[in-house]
Amino acid sequence: MAAPSAPRGPLAGIRILDLTSVILGPYATMLLGDMGADIIKVESPGEGGGDIMRWPGAWPEQAGPGMGPLFMMYNKNKKSVALDLKRPEDQEACIALARTCDVVCSNMRMDTAARLKMDYDSLKARLPNLIYIHAAGFGAEGPYAGRPAYDDLIQGVSGGADILPRVDGNPAPRYLPTLAADKTVGLFMVQAVLAALFHKQRTGEGQFVEVPMFECYTHYVMHENLYGHVYDPAPPGTDFGYARIHNPDRRPYKSKDGWIGILPYTDRNWTDFFVLAGRPELNSDPKFSTYRARMVNIKELYSMMDAMVSTRTNDDWAKVLTEKAIPFAPINRFGDLMEDPHLKAVGFFRKHAHPDGYTWVDMKHPVNFAASPASTRLAPPKLGQDTEEVLREAGVELPKAAE
């Protein structure tokens, strides 16, 4: 799918050489591509090659091998160039591509990148004003530098696996069942690209930018969970973890006919909610009459929510909560999301006809730019499908295949 007439986002004219794979880096470059950047994804050639995320899951016969669902989700708006970076001639072709780009993004381990002459020092010797964004497992200044890292490992080492034990009483550390570290650090990587581009626009200076997974995800996890330990020493009796968030009764609540999320927040919200729930006497209870008091007694307050919410149906709650401007939301299962009326109204899930004869679905870029909207311009590419075109545009002769 190519739609050259589609609107280009705020990064139109920016070109990125994408040396990333798996989830973290491809998520970042996909978001940059949504916003208009031209993304040149370099992949290893050959049967079973390319980004490893090409291969999990099943795909329709028309799509052909290597077009698995995870690859489809993380690699729209990109062109695929197949180069064997172990070969000097392919290395030279990749460097020539880098000359045409504003940014190089990589999540290769640094020793691997150096061996392939794709590290910052090797490229900077040829491209002095290079912006090089490197997503590492661990920062180069610490003793873990150079270790391989994946989402599970970073969730564990960052304290992320200590979240669920603090909520449900099961002391075993557990990973959150989503690629939380990869995607969160991918957002840090997007931020790094944009900030480095802004710096270069002002100064003309490129730079090396390290985006370490451990440090970024710990930064994300611990912002509310440092809690009392934001002071040194911590006040007596304080623990790590924001008490309201780690309450096991902070969850969807059972109504008369389903499940609903309700979150009274302000004093006015709670005053109105207690009345709606048939418990007006709680408004004069000193344990619940002020924000400070509710936070001290949040465990007891949330433990009463099931009984209070069970007094009305979902539709009835939606009506009265809307009238009182009390925050609430339906509880969607994965299968409900494509029929959610809000997501349908904003065109969030979008279907595209692929030239190979199948339909694929993506999600609308969630940020709305009034003057330069993000868009889907290119379907996720087959391995190496753009090699000849992209190299020709860069004035590079297609390297001869290895014998």
Side-chain angles (χ1 to χ4, degrees):
M1 179 193 87
S5 62
R8 295 297 298 267
L11 297 183
I14 297 297
R15 189 171 169 95
I16 295 173
L17 185 65
D18 183 0
L19 303 180
T20 72
S21 61
V22 194
I23 299 295
L24 187 168
Y27 182 51
T29 54
M30 179 204 72
L31 292 171
L32 295 164
D34 279 359
M35 291 186 281
D38 189 14
I39 310 296
I40 308 302
K41 183 178 180 73
V42 175
E43 302 184 76
S44 58
E47 186 176 349
D51 191 325
I52 196 172
M53 288 296 104
R54 286 184 174 276
W55 303 103
W59 50 81
E61 183 178 349
Q62 304 98 307
M67 297 300 288
L70 290 176
F71 183 83
M72 294 290 292
M73 285 306 304
Y74 289 94
N75 289 281
K76 61 177 178 174
N77 286 333
K78 302 181 185 181
K79 296 178 181 178
S80 174
V81 173
L83 293 172
D84 181 356
L85 296 178
K86 298 183 182 71
R87 303 173 65 218
E89 54 268 52
D90 286 38
Q91 291 172 7
E92 287 299 318
C94 194
I95 292 168
L97 288 180
R99 290 186 190 281
T100 71
C101 294
D102 299 281
V103 181
V104 173
C105 289
S106 171
N107 63 351
M108 288 187 277
R109 290 173 61 187
M110 286 301 288
D111 56 349
T112 300
R115 188 170 63 251
L116 300 175
K117 298 181 180 178
M118 291 296 127
D119 60 308
Y120 175 67
D121 289 338
S122 298
L123 291 177
K124 186 176 184 293
R126 310 276 293 271
L127 308 167
N129 292 321
L130 175 68
I131 293 175
Y132 190 106
I133 312 293
H134 177 239
F138 305 91
E141 296 180 353
Y144 302 164
R147 290 187 186 182
Y150 294 94
D151 184 274
D152 292 3
L153 304 182
I154 296 301
Q155 285 202 44
V157 73
S158 67
D162 192 35
I163 294 174
L164 293 176
R166 290 174 170 272
V167 176
D168 62 13
N170 177 353
R174 275 154 292 148
Y175 306 132
L176 299 177
T178 182
L179 297 173
D182 275 346
K183 290 180 288 185
T184 299
V185 182
L187 295 174
F188 276 92
M189 194 174 193
V190 171
Q191 176 190 40
V193 169
L194 300 179
L197 284 168
F198 184 56
H199 174 81
K200 187 172 183 178
Q201 182 186 53
R202 289 189 305 164
T203 68
E205 178 184 42
Q207 62 180 304
F208 175 78
V209 183
E210 182 185 59
V211 183
M213 293 181 72
F214 180 26
E215 290 92 318
C216 287
Y217 196 60
T218 303
H219 188 277
Y220 172 81
V221 168
M222 292 305 293
H223 249 78
E224 78 275 14
N225 289 320
L226 202 59
Y227 208 46
H229 289 264
V230 74
Y231 308 106
D232 185 20
T238 62
D239 192 7
F240 291 97
Y242 180 18
R244 187 183 78 79
I245 300 300
H246 291 170
N247 188 329
D249 291 308
R250 173 187 174 255
R251 53 187 171 79
Y253 300 111
K254 188 78 171 65
S255 69
K256 270 188 176 181
D257 64 349
W259 296 88
I260 191 169
I262 300 177
L263 186 61
Y265 209 81
T266 65
D267 287 345
R268 179 78 260 169
N269 286 163
W270 280 108
T271 297
D272 290 339
F273 176 74
F274 288 147
V275 172
L276 293 173
R279 298 294 305 274
E281 74 280 4
L282 294 177
N283 282 316
S284 56
D285 189 325
K287 292 189 295 186
F288 309 120
S289 58
T290 68
Y291 180 85
R292 174 70 176 167
R294 286 191 298 273
M295 289 302 99
V296 171
N297 298 285
I298 196 68
K299 185 173 178 61
E300 182 181 354
L301 177 59
Y302 276 9
S303 71
M304 298 188 295
M305 288 291 288
D306 265 334
M308 290 190 282
V309 174
S310 67
T311 58
R312 297 174 182 266
T313 66
N314 273 9
D315 284 347
D316 190 18
W317 273 123
K319 179 177 183 296
V320 297
L321 293 171
T322 299
E323 289 172 353
K324 294 295 185 180
I326 297 172
F328 78 98
I331 301 302
N332 282 330
R333 307 288 184 157
F334 286 169
D336 299 327
L337 289 170
M338 287 189 173
E339 297 304 318
D340 181 276
H342 181 89
L343 294 180
K344 289 182 78 169
V346 302
F348 187 75
F349 292 101
R350 303 174 302 180
K351 296 181 180 181
H352 306 280
H354 195 281
D356 289 341
Y358 62 97
T359 299
W360 65 285
V361 177
D362 77 342
M363 290 180 279
K364 176 186 177 184
H365 189 84
V367 178
N368 295 316
F369 298 89
S372 52
S375 65
T376 296
R377 302 172 307 282
L378 299 172
K382 289 184 175 179
L383 176 57
Q385 73 173 36
D386 306 295
T387 303
E388 192 171 342
E389 172 195 345
V390 172
L391 291 180
R392 188 186 305 114
E393 289 174 352
V396 178
E397 185 178 344
L398 187 67
K400 295 180 180 178
E403 294 182 0

